[in-house]
Amino acid sequence: MGDVLKTEQLTKIYGDTAAVDKVSLTVREGDIYGFVGKNGAGKTTFIRMVLGLAKPTSGSFSMMDGMEISQARKRTGSLVEAPAIYGNMTAEENVRLMCMVLGADMKTVPEILERVGLSNTGRKKAKNFSLGMKQRLGIALALAGDPDFLMLDEPINGLDPTGIVEIRELLLDLRNKYNKTIFISSHLLGELEKMVTRYGIISKGRLIEEITAEELSEKCGKRTRIKTDSPEKALKLIKALLKTENVETDEKNNILIADPIKNIGELTNELFKNNIVVSGISEIESSAESYFIKRMEEN
């Protein structure tokens, strides 16, 4: 399997508002794909269209390398908004019921509970679970039927730090040990950075950028920041001197250089020779969160 999900100009309009606006993205086999956006950006609406819970206004999508959609959805587990849990039932009873609905093998129930860390909850009712336990039970329900693809909508939202770590380790385990491809939406950017392989950044219904974890790491690494009185002139000169395009200006017109500089003194001397005054030099390291926020605000 190559592309687990591929959308083309997928759009959902409510009244005069495009909740999802011509989104084209690709989730590949083995991805933990982070769908990043603020609350109200269109993340849940996008997921609901893929799962058949909302009808697209226009555009198209394919799943599992072109498998018939109804069959592909049977190979997809999901957790959308709040988990559909029966509070008066135990974890085991909830998962057994889901397996019954899906026609899945009941013998898989103990293994599913073991995977999500709920094998020792006994007769405890789900209504008495912590929020983190409820989220893990929601993921257990998504795993009923042994799907290849998981679509999880904000599974770490509202959790305390311990709960977030537990869910993160669970998702990494599902990908690395059980070969699940995972699509996870969230606005908690710092946590996604610790597990995601590829990102899609959405803002006001529009996909701003798709970027791999490696590409993001390169963009957010250490940089040299130079303050000058002539940023445009300095930018052109520095690109020529260092023979690189990895130079840009920030919102305050400081020069940001991503490549390592062998001799900063020689560089500043060249700037002075060209009548460019350097008023400050410093090393900075930007975060993935600041990168995401900047890209979302550009839309």
Side-chain angles (χ1 to χ4, degrees), residues 158-173:
L159 298 181
D160 60 24
T162 299
I164 290 174
V165 170
E166 290 174 351
I167 296 298
R168 183 178 73 230
E169 291 178 349
L170 168 59
L171 297 181
L172 286 169
D173 206 41

Side-chain angles (χ1 to χ4, degrees), residues 115 168-179:
R115 287 187 191 181
R168 183 178 73 230
E169 291 178 349
L170 168 59
L171 297 181
L172 286 169
D173 206 41
L174 289 173
R175 173 184 181 256
N176 298 333
K177 287 187 179 180
Y178 301 102
N179 303 312

Side-chain angles (χ1 to χ4, degrees), residues 122-153:
R123 302 305 304 168
K124 186 174 183 178
K125 303 296 185 183
K127 65 182 178 181
N128 297 319
F129 284 3
S130 67
L131 181 56
M133 291 173 69
K134 288 178 180 177
Q135 289 297 89
R136 281 186 277 146
L137 180 53
I139 294 172
L141 297 177
L143 289 170
D146 194 26
D148 300 305
F149 183 36
L150 295 175
M151 297 196 78
L152 309 176
D153 184 22

